[in-house]
Amino acid sequence: MSIETGLIRTTYGQMAERKWSDLPSDLLSPIANRLGLIELLSFRGVCKDWKSASTTASAEIESLPDHEPWFLVYGSNSECILLSNSGKKYTINIPELNGATCLASNKGWLLMFQEGSMFFFCPFSHAKIDLPRFPHSQVTDHVAAFSSPPISQDCLVAVINRSSETTLELNMLCHGAMVWTNHKGYLPRDAIKIIRGATYHDEEFYFFDNSENLVTFSIDKSWNFFVIIPRPKDKFPGINDLPIGRRMRHFIHMNMKNELGLPENVSISTCGTLVHDRIDKLVLNERIEAAEDSISYQLKGVWIQPRFFQVSPNQSW
Amino acid sequence: MASSSTSVVVSNKEKENKNTKKVTLKSSDGESFEVDESVAMESQTIKHIIEDGCANNEIPLPNVTSGILSRVIEYCKKHKEAAGESEPSVTSYTSNSTTNPLTEWDTEFVKVDQNTLFDLILAANYLDIKGLLDLTCKTVADMMKGKTPQEIRETFHIKNDYTPEEEAEVRKENQWAFE
């Protein structure tokens, strides 16, 4: 390439070669801001100036509508498998995920739980924001959602689980708060089974099971319960449009076990994320069992937009 | 009959004065380009010069050569035309051809050698033409697709100025992506 450039006679008689190293950093930033994750990592490795020009770049392009999420497999050691949306596989060492469980994934941030401590995490940049200690020391059927990126002033986090046959328990944390607030909702197990997906929309948290039930918790602390039905021809009072679509068996439909090269004796529990595919759609959490009669081992996985967030080391909640 | 033809001539002249106000741009190498004022105002820099009343006969652009300026004018003309015909296109990080009817034209426009691309970026920045800056930056970003840091250095003739320790740190960050 460098040999050819010298020989190209431009139409307008420009003979001198432009030095890309002369490009001012305020023009390098708009270039860095338009890079995907892999290209951004490459960009940062070129030279010192280019690295400093990329401090605000976070591969934002990966969170654009119609960009399908990637999938990250993690388990009991630090070696993780990453599958891009174009089918390319990578192995990454991410020690922070060792022994942790992802409760929510949104626009490149993961909400992680590890033995009572909670933190926001970006696995590609290793950016980490610790949260106040969670009131439970273990997670069982816990599912979570957060309203906006953790660095935003109005980030709200909600973690829901079933605390008894008749009640759901929600623990909520506001940006900057030091304690989780506890809210209980009367919702018997036959009304909503296991919650398989959570998201935030228009001042309300939405919690879906994997059939047709929906529970919402609004920021004014009121619970509501809905059944999702196909849209009827006529409008009835009490019927609202569901603003969020669902992808119920995305891992299975995408043949992910095969794509990842996972053996049959592996069971995997996945955490979904919100995607935009004409409308906002929530990829639900799934539990894929290992083939019968096999000694299986458990893996965890999460759908994630591949972002590269850079936060200062003393960034606190 | 005679009076109606007189009134036709008058109204045509009015239309000329209103819609085709021209402005002259002068490149660094002394070439003059006459363009419609509305096209020139695709550049925020030129727009401010005109609005501040500082545009007399010619606007000198000492940072832009004639070769680059003629391309920039081509871009502005094409985009001004398109904006007139349809709803304004939203420039975003990716141009979706269903929202941007000029996607194909833009793609052809930036099929230039590296030197020209470099100069177009500088010109788009100096003249403050957002669409052109977005397009040229996106083009450079696309040139990095699938390249390792060393391959990017070779493409853009950049010297690696990392110390061995810094290099090791960076490699820790990105090695997984290039194994």
Side-chain angles (χ1 to χ4, degrees):
Chain A
M1 180 83 191
S2 50
I3 303 164
E4 284 169 38
T5 319
L7 293 176
I8 290 175
R9 216 179 354 102
T10 65
T11 330
Y12 303 92
Q14 294 159 319
M15 287 311 212
E17 269 216 10
R18 296 294 170 273
K19 282 201 153 73
W20 286 89
S21 44
D22 287 344
L23 198 65
S25 61
D26 59 336
L27 287 179
L28 279 173
S29 299
I31 295 171
N33 289 343
R34 284 163 175 77
L35 296 170
L37 176 67
I38 306 295
E39 283 71 34
L40 179 58
L41 289 173
S42 218
F43 185 94
R44 288 167 60 81
V46 169
C47 67
K48 286 202 260 225
D49 278 348
W50 283 37
K51 188 170 186 214
S52 352
S54 72
T55 46
T56 55
S58 67
E60 198 180 317
I61 194 174
E62 306 277 14
S63 283
L64 285 180
D66 308 327
H67 275 235
E68 288 295 306
W70 295 18
F71 193 81
L72 183 67
V73 180
Y74 62 106
S76 55
N77 61 28
S78 309
E79 288 293 296
C80 307
I81 306 172
L82 178 69
L83 188 70
S84 78
N85 56 7
S86 60
K88 193 152 184 221
K89 236 197 296 185
Y90 304 90
T91 308
I92 325 182
N93 192 289
I94 314 177
E96 294 91 337
L97 295 182
N98 197 342
T101 304
C102 181
L103 299 182
S105 167
N106 195 16
K107 292 214 167 57
W109 282 103
L110 302 181
L111 178 66
M112 305 297 303
F113 173 91
Q114 184 160 36
E115 295 164 359
S117 67
M118 281 272 213
F119 55 97
F120 277 106
F121 188 57
C122 173
F124 307 109
S125 64
H126 299 264
K128 190 173 187 255
I129 301 175
D130 286 312
L131 298 183
R133 196 147 188 93
F134 191 62
H136 297 182
S137 58
Q138 274 187 317
V139 290
T140 51
D141 59 337
H142 294 66
V143 173
F146 48 99
S147 62
S148 39
I151 39 180
S152 129
Q153 288 304 305
D154 39 42
C155 180
L156 280 174
V157 187
V159 184
I160 198 169
N161 70 291
R162 177 161 285 287
S163 55
S164 79
E165 279 303 306
T166 53
T167 51
L168 290 175
E169 178 183 332
L170 186 138
N171 282 286
M172 198 162 86
L173 187 71
C174 306
H175 190 272
M178 283 296 114
V179 279
W180 294 79
T181 55
N182 189 288
H183 312 268
K184 286 199 160 65
Y186 174 75
L187 281 141
R189 203 187 285 276
D190 48 16
I192 182 154
K193 302 172 185 47
I194 302 175
I195 292 176
R196 293 270 192 228
T199 190
Y200 179 88
H201 178 85
D202 207 8
E203 305 197 336
E204 266 183 294
F205 283 101
Y206 285 60
F207 303 102
F208 299 89
D209 69 8
N210 62 1
S211 57
E212 74 265 314
N213 302 301
L214 167 65
V215 168
T216 64
F217 183 80
S218 63
I219 58 177
D220 65 5
K221 322 285 195 298
S222 60
W223 294 89
N224 272 295
F225 174 74
F226 300 91
V227 173
I228 302 168
I229 59 172
R231 180 179 283 125
K233 258 190 267 173
D234 309 310
K235 270 206 179 275
F236 288 87
I239 292 195
N240 306 321
D241 268 335
L242 185 64
I244 299 171
R246 291 160 300 158
R247 282 194 190 164
M248 315 243 294
R249 270 179 281 281
H250 195 55
F251 187 88
I252 292 172
H253 285 156
M254 299 294 287
N255 197 16
M256 290 300 281
K257 221 180 185 183
N258 226 325
E259 294 286 323
L260 289 161
L262 296 178
E264 275 309 304
N265 67 336
V266 154
S267 70
I268 184 164
S269 60
T270 73
C271 177
T273 188
L274 194 68
V275 298
H276 188 94
D277 166 20
R278 284 168 294 137
I279 60 165
D280 278 343
K281 287 187 186 158
L282 181 63
V283 174
L284 296 190
N285 304 347
E286 293 168 72
R287 252 201 177 93
I288 287 93
E289 298 302 332
E292 284 182 24
D293 299 339
S294 58
I295 301 166
S296 65
Y297 62 101
Q298 280 236 359
L299 287 179
K300 292 175 235 178
V302 56
W303 293 96
I304 181 172
Q305 281 83 9
R307 302 288 300 273
F308 191 85
F309 294 113
Q310 300 171 69
V311 299
S312 58
N314 53 10
Q315 172 86 41
S316 60
W317 173 245
Chain B
M1 214 55 196
S3 54
S4 55
S5 59
T6 315
S7 60
V8 164
V9 166
V10 166
S11 61
N12 270 350
K13 207 161 182 177
E14 260 182 50
K15 189 180 176 198
E16 229 175 71
N17 285 339
K18 273 197 192 127
N19 292 0
T20 57
K21 191 161 181 214
K22 305 250 188 230
V23 70
T24 307
L25 307 175
K26 193 160 173 197
S27 68
S28 60
D29 46 335
E31 211 176 305
S32 292
F33 297 82
E34 195 186 52
V35 288
D36 285 354
E37 191 180 85
S38 58
V39 167
M41 302 226 291
E42 289 280 292
S43 151
Q44 293 298 305
T45 308
I46 294 176
K47 182 168 184 278
H48 293 146
I49 294 174
I50 294 175
E51 286 172 348
D52 290 349
C54 299
N56 299 320
N57 298 316
E58 280 196 337
I59 300 178
L61 301 172
N63 290 10
V64 192
T65 63
S66 56
I68 296 300
L69 186 54
S70 69
R71 284 191 197 263
V72 170
I73 290 169
E74 199 190 327
Y75 176 91
C76 294
K77 260 195 198 144
K78 188 72 182 181
H79 279 250
K80 187 73 197 163
E81 243 171 57
E85 284 166 19
S86 59
E87 279 169 47
S89 60
V90 177
T91 33
S92 62
Y93 288 145
T94 60
S95 46
N96 180 341
S97 42
T98 57
T99 55
N100 180 2
L102 290 178
T103 304
E104 265 182 60
W105 190 91
D106 280 351
T107 306
E108 285 307 305
F109 181 81
V110 285
K111 281 192 180 153
V112 293
D113 63 84
Q114 267 197 37
N115 286 345
T116 307
L117 187 59
F118 185 92
D119 288 336
L120 280 173
I121 294 179
L122 291 180
N125 183 52
Y126 169 66
L127 294 171
D128 197 356
I129 305 170
K130 188 178 185 305
L132 185 58
L133 187 61
D134 283 349
L135 175 62
T136 47
C137 284
K138 181 78 177 67
T139 305
V140 177
D142 287 345
M143 283 166 73
M144 300 187 193
K145 226 179 166 79
K147 291 194 165 80
T148 62
Q150 181 53 24
E151 286 166 350
I152 294 181
R153 282 186 210 120
E154 282 162 15
T155 305
F156 295 97
H157 319 300
I158 306 284
K159 189 167 176 283
N160 181 0
D161 62 349
Y162 282 124
T163 65
E165 296 79 38
E166 289 168 338
E167 179 83 52
E169 206 186 296
V170 161
R171 192 157 294 168
K172 231 176 74 171
E173 182 185 277
N174 70 23
Q175 190 158 37
W176 64 266
F178 306 111
E179 263 159 3

